[in-house]
Amino acid sequence: VPRRGSDAQPHAAAIVIAAIGSPVRGSVQDDVTFLSESLSSDDPHVRRAAVEALAAIGSPLGVEAVAFALADEVREVQLAALRALGKLRDDEGGALGAPHLLELMESSDDEELVAAAIRALGEAGDARALGVLRPLARSGDAMRAVFAVESIARLADPRRIDALIDALSHHD
């Protein structure tokens, strides 16, 4: 896979890394570095493919690069970054992106991004999410409540049953 050149080359390289896994460029570190640099491309398709490849690699090395992509000006790249944050794991299986997802949920007024963060948090399966999702499911905005219920249902935490029962008291 070529290291430099037109945007077609990093785009193709990102797709290859996502499809066959890492390492492609020598080591996982090399792949993550390449994909992180690709997030500076002028082409949003390259940036989105790089985020998706970082998620496919799943290495803790890519967390900050994926979190950086949350600030991208293109919605497609932001949404890909949120999905990726829900997939990244540490060596023990912990959800590395959960703190970034929780921060976005608490600080953003962008309903689409918050909804995507709620979904990604459910995909992450991090027990820390229950404390944030439970109040949303019970008394939050109707759309957020639906996404929160879906995310709670995905958690392996046994307390999720009580949270789902509490969600039945939502006024909508």
Side-chain angles (χ1 to χ4, degrees):
V1 177
R3 286 192 174 265
R4 299 276 180 221
S6 71
D7 277 342
Q9 292 170 336
H11 190 231
I15 291 170
V16 168
I17 292 169
I20 66 172
S22 188
V24 169
R25 303 179 68 78
S27 70
V28 171
Q29 173 67 49
D30 292 339
D31 288 350
V32 169
T33 298
F34 170 77
L35 294 167
S36 297
E37 291 170 358
S38 296
L39 292 174
S40 297
S41 171
D42 291 334
D43 186 342
H45 299 291
V46 172
R47 296 192 307 269
R48 190 189 86 228
V51 167
E52 290 170 350
L54 286 164
I57 291 172
S59 170
L61 301 171
V63 173
E64 292 309 314
V66 172
F68 170 77
L70 289 174
D72 199 282
E73 68 272 5
V74 176
R75 181 56 52 124
E76 214 173 289
V77 176
Q78 294 172 336
L79 295 173
L82 287 168
R83 289 187 299 270
L85 287 170
K87 295 177 183 177
L88 294 171
R89 299 281 183 266
D90 61 20
D91 294 335
E92 290 82 39
L96 292 170
H100 296 287
L101 295 169
L102 291 167
E103 180 183 338
L104 185 133
M105 287 172 51
E106 293 171 357
S107 65
S108 179
D109 293 329
D110 186 320
E111 288 302 318
E112 185 179 10
L113 287 182
V114 170
I118 292 169
R119 282 185 170 149
L121 200 54
E123 291 294 321
D126 192 300
R128 294 176 288 184
L130 191 58
V132 174
L133 295 173
R134 189 175 191 153
L136 283 176
R138 192 174 64 240
S139 61
D141 166 79
M143 185 66 82
R144 287 184 184 197
V146 168
F147 293 130
V149 166
E150 290 173 350
S151 292
I152 290 169
R154 290 187 186 110
L155 298 175
D157 190 318
R159 298 173 298 160
R160 78 180 185 280
I161 302 302
D162 289 335
L164 291 170
I165 291 169
D166 281 350
L168 294 173
S169 67
H170 193 282
H171 63 276
D172 286 328

